[in-house]
Amino acid sequence: MRPRYLVMLLALSAIWGSSFMWIKIGVRELSPATLVLGRVGIGALTLVPVVLVAYGARRALVELRRYWRPLFIVGALNVTLPFWLLSWGETRIDSGLAAIIQAVAPIFLAVLALLFVPSERVTGWRLVGLLVGFAGVGLLVGVQKGGDVLAALAVALAALCYAGGILYAGRRLSGVQPMLIALGTTIAATVLILPSGIAEAPGSMPSAETIAAVLVLGVVCSAIAYILYYAIMAGAGASRAILITYLVPAVAVFYGTVFLGEPVTVSAVAGLALILGGVALGTGTVSPIASRRARLRPPAPAPRRDLG
């Protein structure tokens, strides 16, 4: 990976890793629906000028009108529902724990692909990876007490929504520019969450800390993060962009521990190890057999150089 894309990847992990902390701060005074409304609404407003400069108003409007139905579906599956579930879950569990559980999204994606793509088969180490990843989620959910179990399940359901939204977008929006997808889905999410977000808005002005959390979530963790993510995908490829899955949970745990005073438990560390190990195996990122064959394979001969 080129240095600039590595820097972008690290910056994106720092941004998305912090989003769990900002959500935790935001839900102290705002309902999950109101927080999500602020986040996606500000994110959409931030993306509008970027899209207009990049593609022009005419092209953007034509594409958004043409694909408005799948954009609304993806907006619901990939933005509205998971953002609300994650925000609601963080009213009851730590931000770091939420980030760890959400890291299971690639495993859910592999399972959905297995169910809905007949040519996709999961066997061998990939199957082991799926089982290991779900064991990690089961461990983290199982150690919760009382209503925290439901909150942990809500975050896991958010990960499932992300996976479903990605799979659907890959089928129905493959010909649309990623930045237009980002704008269209955030606009759709704003429309979908608008009634409940307004109805649950607080009767008084939130604190400056809460307002700052909403602004950061909208401008930085949504709009700027989308721009970075799609730039990495375009320049370094999806196989490099998926590395963000391994970086975000650790960064989120760091933020939660340092700035929110959240404890780092043995179960959280064990769950993180199981989930990330399962993701690595289940998505085919790491294959012990392939790695062993690569080590045993004799080195390729040096390329011949013609003299003169």
Side-chain angles (χ1 to χ4, degrees), residues 279-303:
V279 169
L281 292 172
T283 59
T285 305
V286 173
S287 174
I289 295 177
S291 300
R292 182 182 178 188
R293 289 175 178 173
R295 289 194 301 268
L296 295 176
R297 188 182 300 120

Side-chain angles (χ1 to χ4, degrees), residues 55-68:
Y55 303 105
R58 182 181 180 85
R59 180 184 175 186
L61 287 174
V62 169
E63 291 290 294
L64 292 176
R65 286 179 179 176
R66 180 180 179 184
Y67 293 98
W68 72 269

Side-chain angles (χ1 to χ4, degrees), residues 232-302:
I232 294 170
M233 287 193 67
S239 62
R240 303 295 186 183
I242 196 63
L243 293 174
I244 198 69
T245 302
Y246 304 95
L247 298 174
V248 166
V251 174
V253 170
F254 171 80
Y255 282 128
T257 302
V258 174
F259 297 107
L260 301 178
E262 297 176 351
V264 179
T265 63
V266 174
S267 60
V269 174
L272 175 62
L274 288 173
I275 290 173
L276 295 187
V279 169
L281 292 172
T283 59
T285 305
V286 173
S287 174
I289 295 177
S291 300
R292 182 182 178 188
R293 289 175 178 173
R295 289 194 301 268
L296 295 176
R297 188 182 300 120

